[in-house]
Amino acid sequence: MFKLSNTVLIPILTLCSLSVSAQWAKVYTTAGDRSQEMEPSAVEATSVTANYTVDTSTKYQGVDGFGCAITYASCYNVMKMSETMREELLKRTFSPTDGYGVSYVRISIGCNDFSSGDYTLCDTQGPDDDLLQNFGLHSDEINYVIPMLKKIKALNPNLKIIASPWTPPLWMKTSNSWKGEELSSTYYSTYADYFVKFVQAFQAEGLDIYAVTHQNEPMNRGNSASCYMSWETAGDFISQALAPKFKAAGLTTKIYLWDHNYNYDNESGQTDYPYHAIQRMGTDFDGADLVAGAAWHNYVDNPETSYTEMTDIYNKTGKENLFTESSIGTWNNGDNLAGSLARDMRNNIILPMSAYCRGSIVWNFALDVNGKPYVSGGCNTCRGAISVAEDGSSYTCNSHYYDMAHASVSVKVGATNVATSGSMSDVTISSFLNPDGTVGVLIANTNSSAQTVNVACGSYTYSFAVPANGVVCAELGMSETDAKSDWVTLPSTTIYYDNTLTQWDTPYVFMWGSGNNATWPGAAMTLVHGNLWKYTTNGLYTGMVFNAGDGDATKGEDHTVTDSKIYANATADALGAPEDVTHTIYFDNSKAKWSQPYVYAWYSNATGTNASWPGVAMTRTSADSDIWKLAVPDFYDRLVVTNGLDGDDELKTDDQVLTDGATYTYVPVVTTDYYITGTLTGWVAPGSDGSYQMVQDEDGTIYYNVTYSSTNSTSDLNRFQINLKTSEETGWGTKYGISDTSGIGSSNSKPLPGPVTAVQLKVNGGDIYYASNLDGTYKTIFDPEAVTLTILDPDPEIIYVSGSFNDWKEPGQDGAVPLTYTDQGYYLGYVTLIGSGELCLYTGSGWSGLRYGLKASTSKFTDDNLAITLDSGVGDNQNVAYDLTEGLYRFTFNPTSQLLTIYRAFSSGINSISSDNVDTPVFYNLMGQRVERPTTGVYIRVVGTKVQKIVY
């Protein structure tokens, strides 16, 4: 008779009775609304009242495993994935050490509904003396099924494979038809040889066939490929041909009968098919010991009650049961976890295992989102355990995946089904004693509300929170360490929502992917800080929409799911990366000399609680380096670097934009206070509004950026005075004025004489005036030792070098190289010469602009550098011609002295241009910029000190 209830774990007289301080359970939970998907946790035993009690002393059948069908379609879809995604999926699914340990798969002998087409392994009959001469594996097996099985077996060496034919070769049937008809008795022996050849062909590939069924769905005459086989035919074929042929070939492959529905497809005279077939066989034939029992499908109206037929057949025959097929699809809402997850765990696994099944195998492992590929006439409404995007870029786990994963991870191969007593409304439970002494428990809750299920095992009781329409599996009787270690998890996706604009009390996210939707309005998100919320799921969704949890009225735009990105309803694009993605930033402490720099970061678009001041301590890049570093979460986009002290002693940089790889500095105020006064509103005292304190940069330069406008015409608005004031002094202190006013003047009429103006100052000198045509921001530098004021032009001329390819180019054209103006008052650039060099320097206004040429004839280039004095605006004599060799050169040009200096690329001062390794090439483009991976174009290849031109 049917077992009262069946469940899980731990032998009462072993682990359950050990004298230990605590017992734990390793738990996996999946909810119908996908808020939890194989979510791992650990549960400690308590003293609560039990709803169910496990009796490990009452044992039933053993467990061979749980799994799915590996069809051509499954392999085709999995092989579309990237190698990384495919390997992760297979390892997580099949590995018993690094995954859930799925251990039983079903394949077809020849074609099935989800093959590339209709075929058998011997479509053409051979001669009378060798009817199977043309036997051979099809491309579906060779290129898809066998490679996939090898990958799976490498992950799980104890993998069991059961194989079923959809049809014999057509020439063996009573009519040459793919659909229906029957196996001709003339070919019983030949068809048995066909089975033997199939098993041996897979053995040759290193794949043992653990079991076969004589025919898939023998009552189904209308399948794409099918064969009607009555129990009379099955009994005769197996006892007279198949089992003896297996025995004669030395095969130990099990043989299961039936492989069809509980209700015998309502075929008259075929009720109790396995029992009658076994009775017809008797026991006096070779290979009788290979006949294992009956295989079952559940395509009936009420599978939750019809499974008792398996118990009836078990009681009549005393042989094994095996659940070999169930499918999900559009007809049973199989890709909606809320309706299918707990239902399928109950109907496909828990109830069949309670009816003496040794395992449970569901149908396709993988189909695409449209249920493809399938053969003509096959199931076009089926779905796989996973649904794969058409391009293979993503996949979604359906109910069958979670059910076989739950069963496999907690109920080990070799376990024994044991008794479980108790009852709860809408809860189904089964228990198994594992080989290691733990107890595996499977729980399905088909109620639309969550329920707490308390399971007693020996003197311990475990309390499980089972979600609405959800399932839980657990291993009871573990130590705390074991219960919390080696959890298997689905690939994780964390998405973030910026609630700044919407200001919902709690944002929700509704997600979908590959036809699998969550339950509206989705899952509540978790507050990170400020206005940032997050939600973590299994990473298999492709689309989502955010809402306030109160219906369509607050629904935002549809988004494409991208891991670790921030979203907002104002845009359908991800805004950026969140806090768990980091950028490394650096701080040059050589000038600040802080004992410990800190970084305080924030997100400019969020409000609310900020991090604790002064932030996070940085670390040195090396033991004696002034460069410090810190990995800052990319969720932040602003930062300051501080000295980490509190109160008035705190020093910090200005607010900075967070840029990956950037180096920040603190520019300290000079010890002696220098002020520029009089620049805007007339003369003012140091420290007053309108006076500007100079600062010192990392090079020790004392400067202030002064802004002038040419619209101001009065001298008071455009003149400035350098005033020195020490911390001990009061009032104006020491003033610096012009030492030599020649060329400067005291009116508002003189422009700057060039891109850089240096003025000699004297202590307590007169006022310093500059003309009103100054327009822009000028870096004004004061050198207290040389008593010199230097003013840098904010908009210097653009100077180009041309002729580097023996082909004169206009300014801005490819081949005309711009030199960069520096704060030191000269132009700098790198030029690559191919062949002899012929150069011209000119401004950015084209050929009609200012040119610089030779002032006098000069000797050839012979040293590491050469200084040439040039004239501006020369006529035909504008070329600088030397027999420069091929390679990279550095040019500096000082427009004030009109001195051009050419440096060899490998002079001691420019080591960065050479390669550090004589065996490793370094590439530069023709602008002298280093490139990591050259693409199409002309490049300079440097190995050690050898330079050559490379064209890609």
Side-chain angles (χ1 to χ4, degrees), residues 656-700:
Q656 305 286 331
V657 174
L658 192 155
T659 304
D660 185 33
T663 299
Y664 301 91
T665 59
Y666 175 72
V667 181
V669 176
V670 292
T671 303
T672 301
D673 297 334
Y674 296 94
Y675 291 85
I676 296 176
T677 67
T679 57
L680 295 176
T681 56
W683 302 115
V684 294
S688 302
D689 186 25
S691 68
Y692 301 95
Q693 188 172 23
M694 305 186 85
V695 294
Q696 185 176 21
D697 66 16
E698 60 271 21
D699 296 324

Side-chain angles (χ1 to χ4, degrees), residues 674-730:
Y674 296 94
Y675 291 85
I676 296 176
T677 67
T679 57
L680 295 176
T681 56
W683 302 115
V684 294
S688 302
D689 186 25
S691 68
Y692 301 95
Q693 188 172 23
M694 305 186 85
V695 294
Q696 185 176 21
D697 66 16
E698 60 271 21
D699 296 324
T701 303
I702 300 169
Y703 75 95
Y704 190 82
N705 294 325
V706 183
T707 300
Y708 296 93
S709 173
S710 59
T711 59
N712 298 325
S713 58
T714 64
S715 59
D716 279 349
L717 290 177
N718 288 287
R719 65 184 183 176
F720 62 86
Q721 177 181 9
I722 296 294
N723 176 256
L724 179 148
K725 175 182 179 293
T726 65
S727 57
E728 293 83 13
E729 291 176 329
T730 58

Side-chain angles (χ1 to χ4, degrees), residues 453-486:
V453 179
N454 301 324
V455 179
C457 182
S459 57
Y460 298 97
T461 302
Y462 303 82
S463 184
F464 302 109
V466 188
N469 301 307
V471 298
V472 160
C473 68
E475 283 183 82
L476 314 183
M478 307 186 82
S479 68
E480 180 179 5
T481 299
D482 289 340
K484 294 181 177 179
S485 66
D486 300 325

Side-chain angles (χ1 to χ4, degrees), residues 239-240 243-244 278-289:
S239 62
Q240 297 172 21
I278 290 172
Q279 290 296 105
R280 185 179 182 89
M281 292 179 204
T283 58
D284 188 18
F285 62 92
D286 287 344
D289 58 315

Side-chain angles (χ1 to χ4, degrees), residues 198-443:
F198 169 80
V199 174
Q200 291 174 335
F202 270 68
Q203 283 180 333
E205 295 290 340
L207 299 167
D208 291 329
I209 302 300
Y210 179 74
V212 297
T213 65
H214 68 95
Q215 172 62 43
N216 172 71
E217 298 185 349
M219 299 293 102
N220 185 353
R221 304 171 189 264
N223 212 344
S224 56
S226 55
C227 178
Y228 181 84
M229 188 176 289
S230 66
W231 62 259
E232 295 91 344
T233 299
D236 292 346
F237 169 62
I238 293 172
S239 62
Q240 297 172 21
L242 183 59
K245 289 283 187 177
F246 273 9
K247 204 70 173 180
L251 301 180
T252 59
T253 304
K254 290 185 175 185
I255 302 170
Y256 284 93
L257 291 144
W258 185 225
D259 207 11
H260 208 169
N261 293 330
Y262 302 143
N263 65 354
Y264 305 102
D265 259 22
N266 300 313
E267 279 281 336
S268 175
Q270 296 302 311
T271 302
D272 289 345
Y273 184 116
Y275 168 70
H276 290 303
I278 290 172
Q279 290 296 105
R280 185 179 182 89
M281 292 179 204
T283 58
D284 188 18
F285 62 92
D286 287 344
D289 58 315
L290 299 179
V291 179
W296 302 88
H297 301 181
N298 74 343
Y299 302 116
V300 294
D301 291 337
N302 298 299
E304 65 273 13
T305 57
S306 300
Y307 69 90
T308 55
E309 182 61 25
M310 291 188 285
T311 300
D312 180 58
I313 294 299
Y314 172 81
N315 289 331
K316 288 178 178 178
T317 65
K319 289 186 176 291
E320 299 175 4
N321 283 321
L322 182 67
F323 188 87
T324 51
E325 185 179 322
S326 177
S327 185
I328 51 175
T330 57
W331 72 89
N332 62 7
N333 203 21
D335 50 8
N336 181 353
L337 290 196
S340 61
L341 175 67
R343 175 200 70 195
D344 292 343
M345 173 61 84
R346 177 193 65 194
N347 293 346
N348 298 347
I349 296 180
I350 295 179
L351 294 180
M353 296 304 288
S354 71
Y356 299 97
C357 274
R358 295 186 65 88
S360 175
I361 306 168
V362 296
W363 194 207
N364 286 285
F365 176 48
L367 296 177
D368 77 6
V369 292
N370 300 307
K372 296 180 178 179
Y374 49 80
V375 299
S376 176
C379 177
N380 59 7
T381 57
C382 290
R383 295 294 180 264
I386 65 171
S387 293
V388 182
E390 290 185 73
D391 62 359
S393 62
S394 63
Y395 64 92
T396 299
C397 295
N398 297 326
S399 62
H400 279 180
Y401 183 89
Y402 293 115
D403 290 339
M404 69 177 180
H406 275 284
S408 298
V409 76
S410 293
V411 181
K412 310 303 182 182
V413 174
T416 302
N417 190 202
V418 295
T420 308
S421 60
S423 66
M424 287 181 65
S425 177
D426 300 320
V427 172
T428 314
I429 186 170
S430 188
S431 306
F432 304 82
L433 177 61
N434 285 321
D436 63 0
T438 61
V439 174
V441 177
L442 305 177
I443 305 173

